[in-house]
Amino acid sequence: MSRGARVAAGDVLGEIGAHVPLRLLVPPDRSGDVDRLAAAGEYATDSVLAVVGGHEIRMAQHWPVRRPRPAGGRLPADVPLHTGQRAVDLLFPVARGSTVAVPGGFGTGKTMLLQQIAKWCDADVIVYVGCGERGNEMADVIEELTELTDPRTGGSLAERTVTIANTSNMPMMAREASVHTGATVAEYFRDMGLDVVLIADSTSRWAEALREFASRMGELPAEEGYPAGLASQLAAFYERAAAVRTLSGASGSVTVIGAVSPPGGDRTEPVTAHTERFVRCLWSLDRDLAYARHYPAVSWADSFSRDAAALAAAHARGGDPEWLPRRGRVARLLAEADRLADLVELVGITALPPRERVSVLAGRLVREAVIQQNALSPGDAYSAPEKTSALVAAVLAVLDRCLELVDSGVRADAVEAVDFTPLLRARESAGPAETAAVVAARDQVLARLREAV
C-alpha cells in the first residue's frame, strides 16, 4: 500500500514477518485515505505503523470479545480439515469452518485427542483454550508444543499456536470470558486469510461458570441450575465458526472443536444435549474402548459427521473418488462386527457361519490396523491422508481374499489361524506418510493366505 491510497475496512496495509504470514489490516470499523505508512523495518507491537483517515493503526488491535468480527460473506464449508487421526479423518471428517463436539467422561482420552489435533491438523493457526482445566495439563501442552516439530514447516509447533490458559484455580469470570476471547483471536487471524482451528477444552467448565454467575446475579435457574439462556449462549459460540470471504476478498475459516465433560458420562445432561443440536460433527468418546486401551476411543456407533457428503465431492476433485464408498464399507464392517459380538459371547464363534466369522475377523482388523492409533509412536502419532487410504485399502484387500477363501470351501478356522501381524503392525512400522511399507505388509499377508489354502 502507498501513502494517499484510499482503503476500506479489512484492506491489507502491509505484511509482518513471522513464522505465520501475518498481515496488517485496516480495522473493521475504519476506512479512508492512508495519511502515513511506516517504512520497512522492525517495530514494537504498540508502534504506530499507519494512519488511515486520521486514526492510528498498530499491530495490536482491540476488539470486544463477545461481538463477532465482520466478514464479507460466508462460503460453503466443503474443504476437509485433515487432523492426522484416522478415526476422525476416515469415519467422522470435519470441514474447515465447521463445528465439532467431543463429549467424553473422565479417563476417555478427551484431552489427549484434542492435543493431538492441535499438534497435527493442517490449519495455519491453532487457538487452544484451556477453560477450567488443571494447570499441569496446560503446562504439559505448552511444553510439548515447544518441543515438537511442525511437519509442514519444519519449525516448532508453538510458532503457530495461541494458548489461552484459564485454569480451574482462576476466577469464575476469567473462565466465562475465555471461550469468547479464543473466538475473537481466531477471527482476527481468519481475517488475514488464514485457516484457524479453535479448540475449547472444555465448554462444560465454561457452562459451569455461566451457572455460577447466573446464581450470583439472582437469575431463575433452569435445568440442573444452568441459566435459561444456556442453549442460546452455546449456539452463539458455535455460530462463530465459518468459512468466510474476508473484507479484503481473501478466504479464511474458523473451525471450532469443543470438548464436553458430562458428569459421570451422562450425555443427557443439558450442556451435552444442547451442544449436540448445534454442531456438525460429534466425536463421542467411549469408556469401554478407553478401558480396553483402544485410542483414540471415538465410538463409531455414537458419533456422526454431517460434513461427510460435502467432503466426498472434495475428495473426488482431489483424485480420490472412492473415498465415500470406502468410508461406508468400513462403517458397515464395524457395525456388523458389533452386532455379532454379543452373539459370539453367547454361543461362541465356532457356532457362526463362515462368512460371519470373517465379519468378526474384519471388525478386529479394521479396529487394530486402521482405527487404533498410538499417540506416542513416531510413525503413528500422525497419519497423512495417503497412509490412511493405504491402510484401509490393504485391510479391505485382505478381507476380500478371506471371503473368497471361505466361499470356495476353505475352513474358517484355517483363515483365522493365519498370522495377520504384519498388517496389524504396518500402522506403526510405516512412516507418517509412507505407503510402500503398508503395501508390503498387505502382500505378505496375502501370501500367507495363499499358503493356508
Side-chain angles (χ1 to χ4, degrees):
M1 195 63 65
S2 59
R3 182 177 177 179
R6 183 75 178 177
V7 294
D11 284 349
V12 179
L13 294 173
E15 295 184 354
I16 303 169
H19 304 290
V20 176
L22 305 181
R23 299 172 180 89
L24 181 66
L25 305 177
V26 178
D29 53 353
R30 296 283 183 263
S31 62
D33 296 331
V34 178
D35 300 325
R36 184 165 66 86
L37 198 63
E42 295 186 3
Y43 297 91
T45 306
D46 57 351
S47 300
V48 177
L49 298 184
V51 177
V52 174
H55 297 281
E56 297 179 343
I57 296 179
R58 297 172 170 84
M59 278 190 279
Q61 291 189 10
H62 296 269
W63 189 264
V65 296
R66 288 174 176 79
R67 190 173 79 197
R69 289 173 63 91
R74 291 200 170 215
L75 299 174
D78 56 2
V79 178
L81 175 73
H82 297 295
T83 66
Q85 309 305 300
R86 288 187 295 273
V88 171
D89 292 342
L90 175 63
L91 294 176
F92 310 108
V94 58
R96 294 184 180 184
S98 190
T99 52
V100 185
V102 189
F106 178 78
T108 55
K110 181 172 64 270
T111 299
M112 176 61 75
L113 175 60
L114 295 179
Q115 290 179 10
Q116 286 296 102
I117 293 173
K119 295 171 188 175
W120 306 117
C121 75
D122 61 352
D124 298 313
V125 176
I126 306 294
V127 180
Y128 192 98
V129 181
C131 178
E133 294 301 306
R134 293 180 290 274
N136 60 339
E137 288 187 356
M138 290 303 304
D140 290 342
V141 170
I142 296 172
E143 183 179 6
E144 289 182 9
L145 288 173
T146 57
E147 295 175 351
L148 289 173
T149 301
D150 189 339
R152 297 187 307 155
T153 64
S156 171
L157 279 169
E159 294 170 354
R160 64 179 178 98
T161 305
V162 178
T163 305
I164 299 175
N166 289 112
T167 53
S168 55
N169 62 336
M170 291 186 177
M172 171 261 298
M173 287 308 297
R175 279 182 283 145
E176 194 277 334
S178 60
V179 297
H180 300 295
T181 305
T184 305
V185 171
E187 290 171 347
Y188 171 70
F189 290 110
R190 176 207 69 187
D191 292 345
M192 298 182 183
L194 302 174
D195 293 308
V196 188
V197 168
L198 168 62
I199 298 176
D201 187 13
S202 73
T203 56
S204 294
R205 306 289 177 261
W206 172 57
E208 290 171 3
L210 292 175
R211 178 171 60 185
E212 184 178 349
F213 182 70
S215 175
R216 293 186 184 186
M217 294 294 291
E219 297 182 15
L220 290 176
E223 187 178 1
E224 295 192 15
Y226 288 104
L230 174 64
S232 298
Q233 297 200 48
L234 282 168
F237 168 62
Y238 284 105
E239 182 68 17
R240 297 181 75 168
V244 303
R245 181 73 61 191
T246 67
L247 295 177
S248 62
S251 60
S253 67
V254 173
T255 306
V256 174
I257 303 176
V260 187
S261 305
D266 179 19
R267 288 179 51 185
T268 63
E269 60 90 30
V271 179
T272 308
H274 288 313
T275 300
E276 291 184 10
R277 295 166 49 199
F278 304 129
V279 296
R280 298 282 302 171
C281 302
L282 183 75
W283 302 338
S284 179
L285 300 183
D286 186 82
R287 188 184 301 273
D288 292 336
L289 287 176
Y291 287 175
R293 303 181 67 83
H294 177 107
Y295 293 104
V298 178
S299 170
W300 43 84
D302 297 329
S303 305
F304 62 78
S305 171
R306 298 188 177 106
D307 292 335
L311 296 180
H315 283 284
R317 290 192 302 269
D320 188 9
E322 296 300 317
W323 178 85
L324 188 61
R326 189 165 59 239
R327 171 183 179 267
R329 186 178 177 189
V330 169
R332 289 191 297 272
L333 289 173
L334 291 170
E336 178 68 8
D338 287 348
R339 184 185 71 83
L340 294 172
D342 294 336
L343 192 59
V344 169
E345 291 182 1
L346 184 64
V347 301
I349 194 167
T350 56
L352 297 180
R355 288 187 67 90
E356 292 191 345
R357 291 177 68 169
V358 174
S359 295
V360 175
L361 173 65
R364 171 177 161 250
L365 291 180
V366 170
R367 289 193 305 269
E368 297 182 16
V370 180
I371 305 300
Q372 196 170 353
Q373 203 162 344
N374 186 355
L376 304 179
S377 170
D380 201 33
Y382 167 76
S383 181
E386 54 268 26
K387 179 182 178 180
T388 300
S389 298
L391 285 170
V392 176
V395 169
L396 294 181
V398 169
L399 292 176
D400 287 340
R401 181 56 182 159
C402 292
L403 288 172
E404 291 175 3
L405 291 175
V406 297
D407 288 343
S408 64
V410 178
R411 292 174 55 88
D413 53 1
V415 174
E416 293 168 343
V418 172
D419 185 8
F420 296 94
T421 302
L423 189 60
L424 299 177
R425 291 182 177 176
R427 60 183 178 86
E428 292 200 46
S429 60
E434 186 181 357
T435 60
V438 177
V439 174
R442 178 203 64 188
D443 294 341
Q444 188 175 355
V445 173
L446 290 175
R448 292 181 178 180
L449 286 170
R450 285 193 294 271
E451 294 172 0
V453 178

